[in-house]
């Protein structure tokens, strides 16, 4: 018997109690050997700005890079989430379920490389869809999830033209509730299995008329994600198909397990534990294995189909033992079942593993792909690889055309953050060993992550820096205050600051509106190359508090923001436990380390009225938040939030101790557009500015100031105008150990840099690969403290200025849903704000994406 490692023993105990199988069964958790490539050189200066680099790669605002290998082909729409090969013809169906048009596109797999657009067939537009796609075994029909419409779309396929026509939509589930049609798979007898994600069941329906044959309940309340049926193959040679025996297998997206059922009767056979967020399921019929990618970890679980027990855990990360963040979400296996490809969505590459010997897998290397790969397959007798990139391939786009209006108040898809990521296909010959080694070097070069998790940029750290070089190092700074605001770019606020890289023509809220912001950067440092990793608030608050957005968040927000996900809910800010990263959030890290903390409005549910107490959305916050502090509510003034916080600060002064980590939310720079009678955008930003100034003044006059640093960040930049990049935003740092005199710091930093700096001060480990790899903000600090308090400036704009009936966009603003972040279309809201400030006849400039990821040659 093999001794159970600590990381495996709980899984075996779980298996023994749920599937009635003994823990004496041997399970080997392997560590895959790294390819023979050297570690990257210690990170030096990053350069000044994101965008295309001399080596052809594109540096992203996060500091990571993309350098897709092979031929890049533009797909029909954004966020392709699944690709399935036709069982009879050389066509690939690619499902799109993002912000823009939903539907299925078709790609010919047997055209000559370099044919470009000729490789593409038609695109069948659908009203709504989600992750679910299955060909009928004869290849003549394609079945597609109808998402929140709770239907299965049926399309007739024409293999000569590579097109499909919608012939009917089969209703599934209970019409009185949202079931959410997800994974699809054909049963041995020709019926269709359908995963109903929100009602936590699988139904078997007649594939012709939709009549339900039987259903299978998943009683533990987790969300099934994928649904695959497997049959015994007549021909076990050639291309590996999803065929093995008579099992119906369902993965529990948020459950960390897969269920095995009898496909003919629905009888439960076993529950088998996996890692977090099991997603892609891939059968190896020759070697009787099931591979399961664990998207919330850096791993692939392997299940023995003879015993229905886990047999191996494979690592897909660039280095063993690094924090979560690779997001393995797709798999491909060659026909001989020797080579496994694992798409690492957030690392923008695929791992290549030799799995020819069960139990003896080893890593061979990495192939750089486009942004957020979501599907892989071998073709042409395993000689060629196709990779579907959910957010596109590589390129950069500036703004040579200058400002462009939004015509007729209709979304310009090419301008909106959620719609910029047109999907792409990477196509290449499978590399020979020497080429694979070179490609592995490229994949490592695209990542600032280090094998030993040494702090990035540590070589640039001054020896006397108050920021430690490693977790656990000493620092004279004890208290971190983290202020989270909403949705402004650098140029919108600091475009008028001449010494920084700003564009005054894009400045909306200059010194006349934000005197305290400007006094802040005059007193401390001006960060003119600071970026958010996020696109919108849904992933923004996840990055702000967790240094990562899970696959659940990444696949949900584009659908909901695009108006095709009614009922799915806002997928972030602790509304769904399935959205939690494996590394959890900053609050969890502090609690685990015994670091005191308190939240003011972040991950807190407001009371019904300002007089009602708020409640914590996470157990870890119980007793560690202020129920009297109101979170996001645009009808509540930021100056009132500041006053409440200063009352709390006075209480802490009296008690003699202040939390080491304080998270404070000041959201009103979001604005309410030009809703008649509501505060104007400038009045709301001026309110936000005054509140921020008062908070900093209060902190700087407290007894805790001598060991304090204050960080300020926007959760996202809301796709606003900025001449460098629409991810560039307002980042502020203040404290006695922060440099004085308004020095311009153009070092490329991001939200994760801010998080990494706080972690080092507080003695906290990184939450993900992204804060682990982020450069700490060394250039902002000095070893010599200056305890001079900050004096808040009075408002210079009328804080009670209201929108008149004649305001541009007033009627449009009335239709905005401002009840939560980004419920209103932020592109239209930005235009309203722009014209409110610049004048009704002034067209809003198009957002600039210096590091925009797209397909080379795209218009």
């Amino acid at each position: 018997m093999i001794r159970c490692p600590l990381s495996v023993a709980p899984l075996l105990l779980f298996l023994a109690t749920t599937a009635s199988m003994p823990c004496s069964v041997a399970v080997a958790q392997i560590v895959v050997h790294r390819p023979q490539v050297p570690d990257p050189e210690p990170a030096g200066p990053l350069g000044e700005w994101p965008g295309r680099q001399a080596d052809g790669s594109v540096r992203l605002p996060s500091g990571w890079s993309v350098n897709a290998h092979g031929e890049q082909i533009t797909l029909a729409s954004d966020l392709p989430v699944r690709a399935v090969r036709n069982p009879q013809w050389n066509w690939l169906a690619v499902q799109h379920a993002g912000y823009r048009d939903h539907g299925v596109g078709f790609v010919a797999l047997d055209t000559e490389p370099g044919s470009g657009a000729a490789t593409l067939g038609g695109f069948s537009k659908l009203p709504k869809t989600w992750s679910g796609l299955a060909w009928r075994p004869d290849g003549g029909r394609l079945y597609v999830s109808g998402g929140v419409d709770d239907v299965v779309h049926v399309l007739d396929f024409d293999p000569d033209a590579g097109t499909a026509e919608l012939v009917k939509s089969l209703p599934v589930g209970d019409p009185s509730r949202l079931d959410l049609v997800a994974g699809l798979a054909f049963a041995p007898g020709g019926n269709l299995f359908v995963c109903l994600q929100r009602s936590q069941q699988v139904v078997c329906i007649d594939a012709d008329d939709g009549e339900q044959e039987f259903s299978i309940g998943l009683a533990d309340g987790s969300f099934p994600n994928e649904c695959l049926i497997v049959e015994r193959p007549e021909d076990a040679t050639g291309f590996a198909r999803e065929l093995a025996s008579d099992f119906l297998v369902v993965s529990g997206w948020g459950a960390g397990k897969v269920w095995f059922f009898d496909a003919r009767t629905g009888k439960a056979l076993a529950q088998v534990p996996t890692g977090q967020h099991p997603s892609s399921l891939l059968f190896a019929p020759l070697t009787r294995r099931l591979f399961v990618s664990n998207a919330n970890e850096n791993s692939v679980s392997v299940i023995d189909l003879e015993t229905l027990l886990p047999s191996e855990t494979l690592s897909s990360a660039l280095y063993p033992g690094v924090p979560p963040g690779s997001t393995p979400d797709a798999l491909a296996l060659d026909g001989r079942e020797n080579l496994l490809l694992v798409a690492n969505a957030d690392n923008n590459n695929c791992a290549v593993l030799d799995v020819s010997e069960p139990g003896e897998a080893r890593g061979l290397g990495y192939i750089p792909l486009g942004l957020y790969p979501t599907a892989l397959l071998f073709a042409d007798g395993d000689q060629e690889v196709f990779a579907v990139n959910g957010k596109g391939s590589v390129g950069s786009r500036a703004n040579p055309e200058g400002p462009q209006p939004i015509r007729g108040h209709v979304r310009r898809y090419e301008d909106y953050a959620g719609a910029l990521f047109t999907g792409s296909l990477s196509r290449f010959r499978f590399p020979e060993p020497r080429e694979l080694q070179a490609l592995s070097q490229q994949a490592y070069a695209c990542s600032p992550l280090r094998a030993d998790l040494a702090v990035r940029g540590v070589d640039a750290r001054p020896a006397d820096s108050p920021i430690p070089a490693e977790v656990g190092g000493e620092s004279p700074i004890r208290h971190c205050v983290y202020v989270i605001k909403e949705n402004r770019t650098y140029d919108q606020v600091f475009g008028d600051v001449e010494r920084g890289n700003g564009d005054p023509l894009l400045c909306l809220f200059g010194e006349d509106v934000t005197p305290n912001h400007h006094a802040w950067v005059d007193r401390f440092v001006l960060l003119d190359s600071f970026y958010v990793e996020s696109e919108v608030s849904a992933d923004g608050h996840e990055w702000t508090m967790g240094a990562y957005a899970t696959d659940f968040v990444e696949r949900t927000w584009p659908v909901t923001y695009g108006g095709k996900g009614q009922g799915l809910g806002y997928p972030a800010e602790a509304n769904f436990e399935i959205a939690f990263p494996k590394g959890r959030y900053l609050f969890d890290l502090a609690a685990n380390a015994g670091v005191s903390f308190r939240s003011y409005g972040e991950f807190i549910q407001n009371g019904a009225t300002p007089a009602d107490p708020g409640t914590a959305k996470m157990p870890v916050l119980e007793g560690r938040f202020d129920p009297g502090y109101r979170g996001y509510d645009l009808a509540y003034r930021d100056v009132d939030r500041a006053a409440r916080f200063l009352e709390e600060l006075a209480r802490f002064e009296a008690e003699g101790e202040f939390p080491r980590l304080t998270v404070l939310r000041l959201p009103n720079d979001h604005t309410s557009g030009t809703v008649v009678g509501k505060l104007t955008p400038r009045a709301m930003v001026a309110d936000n500015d005054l509140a921020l100034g008062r908070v900093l003044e209060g902190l700087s006059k407290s007894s805790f100031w001598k060991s304090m640093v204050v960080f300020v960040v926007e959760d996202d930049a809301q796709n606003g105008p900025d001449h460098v990049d629409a991810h560039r935003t307002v980042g502020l740092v203040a404290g006695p150990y922060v440099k004085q005199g308004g020095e311009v710091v153009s070092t490329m930093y991001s939200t994760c840099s801010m998080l990494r700096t706080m972690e080092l001060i507080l003695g906290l480990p990184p939450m993900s690969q992204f804060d682990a790899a982020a450069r700490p903000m060394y250039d902002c600090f000095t070893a010599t403290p200056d305890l001079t308090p900050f004096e808040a400036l009075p408002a210079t704009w009328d804080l009670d200025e209201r929108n008149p009936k004649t305001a541009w966009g007033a009627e449009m603003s009335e239709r905005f849903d401002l009840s939560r972040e980004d419920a209103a279309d932020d592109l239209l809201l930005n235009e309203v704000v722009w014209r409110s400030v610049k004048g009704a006849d002034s067209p809003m400039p198009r957002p600039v994406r210096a590091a925009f990821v797209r397909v080379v040659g795209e218009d």
Side-chain angles (χ1 to χ4, degrees):
M1 183 179 75
I2 297 178
R3 192 184 195 98
C4 297
L6 290 177
S7 59
V8 178
L11 302 183
L12 294 176
L13 178 61
F14 172 83
L15 195 61
T17 57
T18 58
S20 301
M21 294 183 182
C23 188
S24 60
V25 178
V27 176
Q29 178 161 356
I30 70 163
V31 176
V32 176
H33 298 292
R34 298 298 100 191
Q36 297 301 309
V37 294
D39 282 352
E41 292 298 320
L46 281 176
E48 304 300 330
W49 315 105
R52 183 170 289 281
Q53 306 300 301
D55 64 356
S57 66
V58 171
R59 180 179 290 123
L60 304 174
S62 64
W64 291 60
S65 298
V66 180
N67 194 357
H69 175 59
E71 178 186 4
Q72 309 303 316
I73 302 168
T74 310
L75 294 177
S77 190
D78 66 314
L79 197 57
V81 295
R82 183 184 289 263
V84 181
R85 184 174 184 166
N86 187 288
Q88 301 297 330
W89 296 285
N90 274 323
W91 284 98
L92 182 70
V94 181
Q95 181 182 20
H96 294 263
Y99 179 88
R100 287 158 57 188
D101 290 340
H102 282 199
V104 182
F106 300 94
V107 181
L109 300 178
D110 55 359
T111 56
E112 290 296 323
S115 57
T119 307
L120 299 178
F123 179 74
S124 298
K125 184 177 177 181
L126 298 171
K128 299 180 185 72
T129 188
W130 189 243
S131 185
L133 191 67
W135 289 101
R136 194 172 64 187
D138 65 8
R141 278 196 163 176
L142 182 65
Y143 291 73
V144 188
S145 160
V148 297
D149 283 344
D150 285 347
V151 298
V152 175
H153 298 300
V154 184
L155 288 75
D156 276 347
F157 180 65
D158 179 354
D160 294 326
T163 58
E165 179 182 359
L166 178 65
V167 292
K168 54 186 168 183
S169 297
L170 305 174
V172 185
D174 186 339
S176 67
R177 69 186 179 203
L178 173 62
D179 288 299
L180 185 58
V181 174
L184 308 174
F186 272 90
N191 288 333
L192 184 69
F193 279 103
V194 182
C195 285
L196 301 180
Q197 199 168 91
R198 291 298 170 91
S199 56
Q200 302 145 27
Q201 61 178 319
V202 178
V203 296
C204 181
I205 66 171
D206 185 292
D208 292 323
D209 60 20
E211 182 178 349
Q212 183 172 312
E213 302 291 332
F214 62 86
S215 66
I216 301 170
L218 302 168
D220 63 359
S222 54
F223 291 167
N225 181 38
E226 313 285 350
C227 180
L228 288 179
I229 188 69
V230 296
E231 303 174 69
R232 190 173 303 280
E234 295 180 1
D235 180 6
T237 62
F239 188 83
R241 303 175 189 273
E242 292 159 348
L243 306 171
S245 67
D246 299 323
F247 299 131
L248 165 68
V249 183
V250 183
S251 68
W253 200 9
K257 69 177 76 171
V258 294
W259 291 269
F260 284 80
F261 299 94
D262 185 295
R264 291 170 174 80
T265 66
K267 178 183 177 181
L269 300 175
Q271 298 181 74
V272 183
T274 63
Q276 288 190 8
H277 289 209
S279 49
S280 182
L281 305 176
L282 182 63
F283 286 93
L286 302 181
T287 50
R288 307 287 293 152
R289 292 176 290 177
L290 172 68
F291 294 94
V292 184
S293 66
N294 302 313
N296 218 29
E297 300 182 0
N298 307 324
S299 68
V300 175
S301 296
V302 186
I303 298 172
D304 186 318
L305 293 177
E306 297 294 343
T307 62
L308 298 189
L309 288 171
S311 59
E312 296 180 80
T313 298
L314 314 180
S315 171
S316 67
L318 289 167
Y319 304 103
V322 296
S326 294
T327 319
D329 67 350
L331 303 170
L333 192 65
D334 75 326
R336 295 181 298 168
E337 301 180 5
N338 288 339
L339 294 172
L340 179 70
L341 304 183
V342 184
N344 290 316
D346 276 303
N347 291 163
N348 310 314
N349 64 38
C350 75
V352 182
L353 294 93
D354 179 347
V355 294
S356 57
E357 294 293 331
E360 300 293 336
R362 61 190 182 93
L364 298 178
Y366 297 86
I367 302 173
L369 300 176
L371 195 62
Y372 214 83
T374 56
L376 294 166
L377 78 154
F378 282 97
D380 189 22
D382 300 336
Q383 298 301 306
E384 196 167 39
V385 177
F386 286 82
V388 175
N389 303 303
K391 298 183 181 181
S393 296
V394 192
S396 61
R397 184 178 75 183
N399 189 20
E401 300 175 1
Q404 297 292 323
I406 301 177
R407 301 179 183 89
H409 319 321
V410 177
R411 282 192 195 94
R412 290 175 59 94
Y413 280 149
E414 66 270 28
D415 292 340
Y416 181 64
L420 283 168
F421 300 116
T422 299
S424 72
L425 196 69
S426 296
R427 178 184 184 181
F428 50 87
R429 306 297 287 179
F430 186 78
E432 296 296 327
R434 182 170 296 180
E435 183 186 10
L436 180 58
Q437 184 174 6
L439 291 171
S440 298
Q441 299 249 23
Q442 287 185 23
Y444 279 102
C446 287
S447 168
L449 195 64
R450 297 277 300 279
D452 57 2
L453 294 186
V455 173
R456 181 179 172 206
V458 68
D459 298 330
R461 175 186 176 273
D464 58 353
S465 174
I467 308 303
E470 59 186 9
V471 173
E474 293 187 1
S475 172
I477 303 173
R478 177 174 172 78
H479 301 99
C480 293
V481 177
Y482 189 29
V483 182
I484 302 172
K485 306 196 312 113
E486 290 280 342
N487 308 351
R488 297 273 71 90
T489 67
Y490 174 93
D491 273 342
Q492 286 179 321
V493 177
F494 293 132
D496 62 340
V497 180
E498 292 184 2
R499 68 184 185 280
N501 183 15
D503 185 343
L505 296 178
L506 300 180
C507 187
L508 297 178
F509 308 110
E511 191 168 9
D512 58 335
V513 178
T514 56
N516 286 289
H517 282 71
H518 284 69
W520 187 310
V521 298
D522 287 344
R523 163 74 185 277
F524 298 104
V525 293
L526 175 67
L527 304 174
D528 66 354
S529 193
F530 185 93
Y531 306 85
V532 290
E533 285 87 354
S534 58
E535 303 298 331
V536 296
S537 285
D539 64 329
H541 282 272
E542 297 299 298
W543 280 101
T544 303
M545 292 305 300
Y548 181 63
T550 66
D551 62 327
F552 171 80
V553 174
E554 291 283 12
R555 290 170 184 266
T556 304
W557 78 254
V559 177
T560 57
Y561 277 56
K564 303 177 182 67
Q566 294 87 345
L568 291 182
Y570 182 62
E573 297 183 53
N575 287 332
F576 292 88
E577 188 171 355
I578 191 176
F580 293 4
K582 184 176 183 182
R584 304 290 290 195
Y585 299 102
L586 198 57
F587 297 131
D588 298 284
L589 261 66
N592 292 340
V595 172
S596 59
F597 65 91
R598 193 163 177 83
S599 173
Y600 293 87
E602 186 70 2
F603 286 18
I604 302 300
Q605 179 64 50
N606 282 337
T609 72
D612 298 313
T615 55
K617 291 184 178 181
M618 299 170 59
V620 72
L621 287 171
E622 294 293 350
R624 293 164 164 147
F625 76 101
D626 177 16
Y629 189 93
R630 196 154 183 83
Y632 182 89
D633 178 356
L634 296 180
Y636 190 85
R637 290 182 184 258
D638 274 346
V639 290
D640 293 330
R641 292 185 177 91
R644 171 65 186 185
F645 173 73
L646 293 175
E647 290 177 6
E648 284 265 290
L649 178 61
R651 176 175 66 82
F652 284 118
E653 283 275 29
E655 295 174 356
E657 187 53 83
F658 187 68
R660 294 199 61 200
L661 171 64
T662 299
V663 181
L664 182 73
R665 193 164 184 178
L666 292 176
N668 281 9
D669 57 339
H670 181 284
T671 85
S672 297
T674 53
V675 176
V676 175
K678 297 289 186 182
L679 296 173
T680 66
R682 279 181 286 196
M684 294 193 74
V685 174
D687 165 55
N688 177 265
D689 174 80
L690 181 58
L692 185 65
R694 288 177 175 175
V695 166
L696 183 59
E697 178 181 294
L699 291 170
S700 70
K701 293 181 177 180
S702 74
S703 60
F704 313 115
W705 178 246
K706 62 182 178 295
S707 59
M708 182 179 290
V709 62
V710 182
F711 296 97
V712 181
V713 71
E714 309 282 330
D715 75 300
D716 72 281
Q718 207 192 39
N719 201 46
D722 189 279
H723 83 282
V724 171
D725 189 280
H727 293 90
R728 191 171 67 139
T729 193
V730 173
L732 302 172
V733 193
Y737 288 93
V738 177
K739 291 178 179 178
Q740 309 282 315
E743 178 180 331
V744 178
V745 175
S746 297
T747 309
M748 190 173 165
Y749 292 135
S750 71
T751 301
C752 283
S753 299
M754 206 169 265
L755 287 167
R756 186 59 164 152
T757 308
M758 284 188 279
E759 290 163 357
L760 290 168
I761 292 170
L762 298 172
L764 305 178
M767 295 173 282
S768 77
Q769 294 177 19
F770 301 97
D771 53 338
R775 166 179 279 194
M777 302 174 74
Y778 292 132
D779 290 349
C780 298
F781 291 86
T782 177
T784 305
D786 183 339
L787 298 176
T788 306
F790 178 86
E791 298 289 341
L793 298 176
T796 51
W797 198 268
D798 182 2
L799 297 184
D800 199 44
E801 182 183 54
R802 306 278 171 168
N803 293 310
K805 293 181 180 180
T806 56
W808 192 95
E811 183 179 347
M812 189 191 316
S813 296
E814 291 288 347
R815 298 194 296 269
F816 290 158
D817 179 2
L818 299 169
S819 62
R820 64 164 176 79
E821 311 90 313
D822 290 1
D825 184 303
D826 63 3
L827 184 62
L828 298 183
L829 178 58
N830 264 322
E831 186 189 17
V832 168
V833 171
W834 175 270
R835 292 179 187 260
S836 170
V837 175
K838 294 291 189 178
D841 296 328
S842 176
M844 186 183 77
R846 296 172 62 176
V848 174
R849 302 276 166 167
F852 174 64
V853 177
R854 66 174 178 84
V855 176
V856 175
E858 183 182 62
D859 292 334

